[in-house]
Amino acid sequence: MLLIKLITMKRRKIVVAAGFCLSFFLGTLMNLLYIPGFEHHQNHDNRVHRYYHEKQQRVTGDSQLHVGESVTKAVAESNSKYAAGSRHHQDLLLQIRERFDEVVRYRRRQAHGSGTGDPVRPLERRRLMDSEPGDNWDPIKVIERTENRQTHFQNRLSPSTHTQTKSRKDFTMNSRSINGTPMLGCSSIDNVTNVQYLGSGYTKAVYKAALNNSLSVALKSVDFGGHDMENCVKKYASPGDCYRLASFKIVKEMTLMERLQHPNILKLYGYCYQDSNDIQDTVTAITELGSPLEMIQLLQTSWEERFRICLSLVRLLHFLAHSPLGSVTLLDFRPRQFVLVAGELKVTDLDDASTEEAPCSPSSTSDCVMEFPARNFTLPCSRGRCLGINEKRNLYNAYRFFFTYLLPHSAPPTLRPLLDKIVNSTGELIWGIDETLLQLEEVLHLYRNGFYLHNRTQTHRADYKRVVDASIPGENYRCWPSYQHDGCLLSVYSITEAIGVCESHAQCRAFVLTNQTTWTGHQLVFFKTGPASLNSAKGRVTYVRVGS
């Protein structure tokens, strides 16, 4: 009986411990993946069918960016269409005018124009993430939205008044080329192939498509079944004006992509207007295509690749802090707002970017408070604006979403003190973006030139025989982190470092130099359990351990 009780107690402890580990894992997972503004759905076929249905209704031949052309006259005509006392509709028209004015300011190169109306109205605010913790994701609601999405697509929207006015010139693109590259238009996407639905956010739906069976691009358009359109139509019963309101998010994003050209900002390839769902001139943006940023997968990659992502992000934030438009903040700062293109991190979603520095009064202690789940920061008020709030918000979000997860883990030991200092200084907002970039560039310099190695002239425990034009196709073993999941493929600065790595692995008895290098110039090396399958391979060099 006593033995049974002991076994029962032991099992209970195991269950409790397993439950604790599972809850910790799920909490971390939700904190990384919680993106309430972006959902992946299963009804891909329906999405692609809808894309082709809309494409068939396209009106081609217009090469001007003119979503805003209808604002002024549409307001006047809508006023006559609806009752004079309709406050709801007047509120909708005011929101359209505000978004129109915002894009006009960006196009006219004004960095700090003042908007009108309430800057935190529900449809304008969407869901800004600063004060929202990352562990309150409700999977039931996500599933319900996914299952109900197909019904929303089948409810076609009714016509909306669309007119042309003199304001069209405000949305004419500066040119039909960017940096000498001609922009794509409707004719470019008339015969796209391999259309795949990628996902949707509050406003936009995103598709992947192939142009001329070669160039893969992303196509962004207003999601007629999305949060913004659905809520707006329910409230105002004006599908055409609700579309116009939502479409300015895409126009704003295209404008910023054109104005803020940087290696870490997604490229704008072009745009197209089409008639769809009984609404004239629906806009589609054609952009560079990237791979979604999956944080769980990134945690399993090499430190060198994770460092590259953090460096790319800081270079982007440094540019945004000193952009031609002034200091730009990313209000909806989440990992899913970024993609990877050939290993480089790029921001893909700019419709919630802002150049507005929060206004403040020197006598107030609450105007310049930045609230985050873990802590708050109070910034100084200078000349009626919260000093550096856009830069600081970006930097702290980079710390809490990227640096803490990606920078220190499995880094070279000699770089850890500097990396810890970077993480701590950004987490406390002791440094600004200039100093942060300077320190990360120093880390890159140390790593790229091999200064992180303990002793580059150290002696080793065993000798290694160099075999030219030879390789070992088998004899693999797994190590972490590896560039290849079924073998041990690591990057090294030198042969000396490769020997040191091999001697630190109990299984290693040989290694093969490849002809591939990483973005820092380090060479990729396969580490092997022995030379049993050694064979001829032109251009390869193999080192085989001899002796103990």
Side-chain angles (χ1 to χ4, degrees):
M1 182 64 69
L2 179 61
L3 180 60
I4 294 175
K5 288 183 178 180
L6 290 175
I7 293 174
T8 303
M9 292 177 63
K10 186 176 182 180
R11 287 179 176 175
R12 287 178 179 173
K13 290 180 180 179
I14 294 174
V15 170
V16 171
F20 175 79
C21 293
L22 179 61
S23 63
F24 177 80
F25 172 76
L26 289 177
T28 303
L29 178 65
M30 297 312 176
N31 185 47
L32 290 174
L33 298 183
Y34 171 54
I35 313 298
F38 191 95
E39 302 164 14
H40 289 279
H41 304 293
Q42 300 301 319
N43 52 342
H44 296 180
D45 292 340
N46 181 67
R47 288 282 193 156
V48 175
H49 173 75
R50 183 170 68 88
Y51 171 81
Y52 277 116
H53 175 74
E54 293 172 359
K55 188 164 72 73
Q56 290 172 356
Q57 303 177 44
R58 180 175 297 126
V59 178
T60 60
D62 190 353
S63 63
Q64 304 298 327
L65 183 59
H66 63 275
V67 166
E69 66 181 12
S70 60
V71 173
T72 305
K73 193 170 180 180
V75 169
E77 293 194 5
S78 295
N79 285 341
S80 63
K81 179 180 178 182
Y82 293 87
S86 176
R87 291 186 178 182
H88 276 313
H89 191 68
Q90 293 295 329
D91 180 63
L92 175 58
L93 296 178
L94 178 60
Q95 292 183 59
I96 295 174
R97 168 51 69 177
E98 288 172 356
R99 290 192 181 177
F100 171 79
D101 291 341
E102 181 185 21
V103 181
V104 168
R105 290 197 303 272
Y106 290 135
R107 296 222 57 77
R108 292 176 177 174
R109 304 192 177 191
Q110 294 178 3
H112 300 290
S114 58
T116 58
D118 181 5
V120 292
R121 66 174 73 247
L123 281 174
E124 283 291 313
R125 189 181 181 97
R126 290 181 47 172
R127 186 180 294 187
L128 306 185
M129 304 299 183
D130 285 352
S131 60
E132 187 170 332
D135 57 356
N136 59 350
W137 180 63
D138 187 346
I140 301 300
K141 291 183 179 179
V142 172
I143 293 173
E144 290 175 350
R145 288 197 299 268
T146 302
E147 291 176 345
N148 292 334
R149 185 74 64 165
Q150 183 172 357
T151 304
H152 299 323
F153 298 146
Q154 293 171 349
N155 297 329
R156 296 304 179 187
L157 305 179
S158 57
S160 175
T161 304
H162 180 84
T163 56
Q164 297 182 355
T165 69
K166 60 183 180 182
S167 63
R168 172 173 181 167
K169 62 183 179 182
D170 290 328
F171 284 92
T172 300
M173 297 294 281
N174 292 339
S175 66
R176 288 298 296 172
S177 65
I178 296 181
N179 291 335
T181 303
M183 294 186 68
L184 303 177
C186 294
S187 59
S188 303
I189 60 175
D190 274 340
N191 298 307
V192 295
T193 57
N194 300 324
V195 178
Q196 300 176 33
Y197 167 69
L198 297 181
S200 63
Y202 272 47
T203 305
K204 301 186 294 287
V206 184
Y207 300 86
K208 173 184 177 181
L211 305 185
N212 300 322
N213 294 316
S214 56
L215 176 64
S216 292
V217 298
L219 304 178
K220 298 183 178 182
S221 59
V222 171
D223 186 356
F224 286 94
H227 177 277
D228 281 357
M229 280 293 293
E230 182 182 68
N231 283 9
C232 180
V233 173
K234 283 181 179 178
K235 184 173 182 179
Y236 300 109
S238 179
D241 288 329
C242 286
Y243 175 85
R244 189 170 295 112
L245 179 68
S247 68
F248 274 114
K249 289 282 188 177
I250 296 180
V251 176
K252 173 185 174 181
E253 186 166 272
M254 291 193 296
T255 300
L256 290 177
M257 284 181 174
E258 184 195 23
R259 291 294 319 281
L260 301 175
Q261 296 178 42
H262 184 267
N264 299 111
I265 295 178
L266 211 65
K267 294 179 182 178
L268 175 67
Y269 288 154
Y271 55 88
C272 172
Y273 282 91
Q274 60 195 23
D275 290 345
S276 175
N277 289 288
D278 300 321
I279 295 178
Q280 293 181 344
D281 288 336
T282 63
V283 63
T284 299
I286 310 169
T287 72
E288 186 177 19
L289 180 69
S291 303
L293 199 64
E294 301 292 349
M295 294 298 289
I296 296 299
Q297 294 180 9
L298 289 179
L299 293 175
Q300 304 173 42
T301 60
S302 68
W303 174 82
E304 186 176 335
E305 294 306 311
R306 286 185 274 118
F307 173 72
R308 183 183 188 182
I309 289 172
C310 292
L311 180 61
S312 297
L313 177 59
V314 171
R315 285 172 174 171
L316 167 66
L317 298 186
H318 182 267
F319 170 76
L320 294 180
H322 305 285
S323 84
L325 298 176
S327 182
V328 178
T329 188
L330 303 176
L331 294 175
D332 192 1
F333 195 116
R334 288 275 169 159
R336 283 291 178 87
Q337 308 293 10
F338 300 87
V339 295
L340 289 177
V341 179
E344 282 286 318
L345 184 77
K346 298 195 178 192
V347 63
T348 180
D349 197 335
L350 290 173
D351 60 3
D352 278 319
S354 174
T355 59
E356 296 297 324
E357 303 268 11
C360 60
S361 170
S363 60
S364 174
T365 58
S366 60
D367 287 347
C368 296
V369 175
M370 290 196 306
E371 297 180 346
F372 296 94
R375 62 172 304 172
N376 299 336
F377 297 92
T378 301
L379 303 180
C381 179
S382 176
R383 298 181 180 179
R385 297 286 172 180
C386 296
L387 189 62
I389 192 169
N390 287 351
E391 174 187 332
K392 297 290 187 180
R393 179 185 288 114
N394 286 344
L395 188 56
Y396 188 77
N397 277 325
Y399 155 80
R400 71 186 186 117
F401 285 117
F402 288 88
F403 297 167
T404 56
Y405 297 105
L406 303 182
L407 262 186
H409 308 297
S410 70
T414 55
L415 297 179
R416 281 296 298 271
L418 180 53
L419 292 171
D420 288 339
K421 186 177 182 181
I422 292 172
V423 172
N424 293 334
S425 296
T426 53
E428 297 295 327
L429 289 184
I430 297 172
W431 291 346
I433 191 62
D434 293 349
E435 182 64 23
T436 303
L437 178 60
L438 184 66
Q439 295 296 328
L440 280 176
E441 294 286 2
E442 174 65 16
V443 173
L444 175 61
H445 170 72
L446 295 175
Y447 184 77
R448 175 173 280 165
N449 294 284
F451 296 135
Y452 64 94
L453 297 174
H454 286 289
N455 184 358
R456 289 185 286 181
T457 60
Q458 68 181 19
T459 58
H460 299 289
R461 297 193 302 267
D463 294 327
Y464 287 79
K465 179 182 178 181
R466 183 172 183 264
V467 184
V468 180
D469 291 334
S471 182
I472 304 174
E475 318 303 321
N476 291 315
Y477 67 92
R478 293 184 179 182
C479 65
W480 184 88
S482 172
Y483 284 87
Q484 186 170 298
H485 72 280
D486 58 350
C488 187
L489 179 63
L490 303 175
S491 66
V492 299
Y493 172 74
S494 62
I495 300 298
T496 301
E497 184 181 7
I499 293 175
V501 171
C502 188
E503 293 190 345
S504 68
H505 294 178
Q507 311 97 311
C508 184
R509 290 294 181 272
F511 58 88
V512 180
L513 307 183
T514 72
N515 298 323
Q516 296 175 292
T517 57
T518 66
W519 67 282
T520 62
H522 285 206
Q523 192 168 16
L524 290 178
V525 176
F526 274 111
F527 293 89
K528 304 288 185 172
T529 59
S533 59
L534 184 70
N535 63 12
S536 176
K538 190 69 174 177
R540 292 292 184 92
V541 178
T542 295
Y543 285 78
V544 179
R545 185 172 181 174
V546 294
S548 58

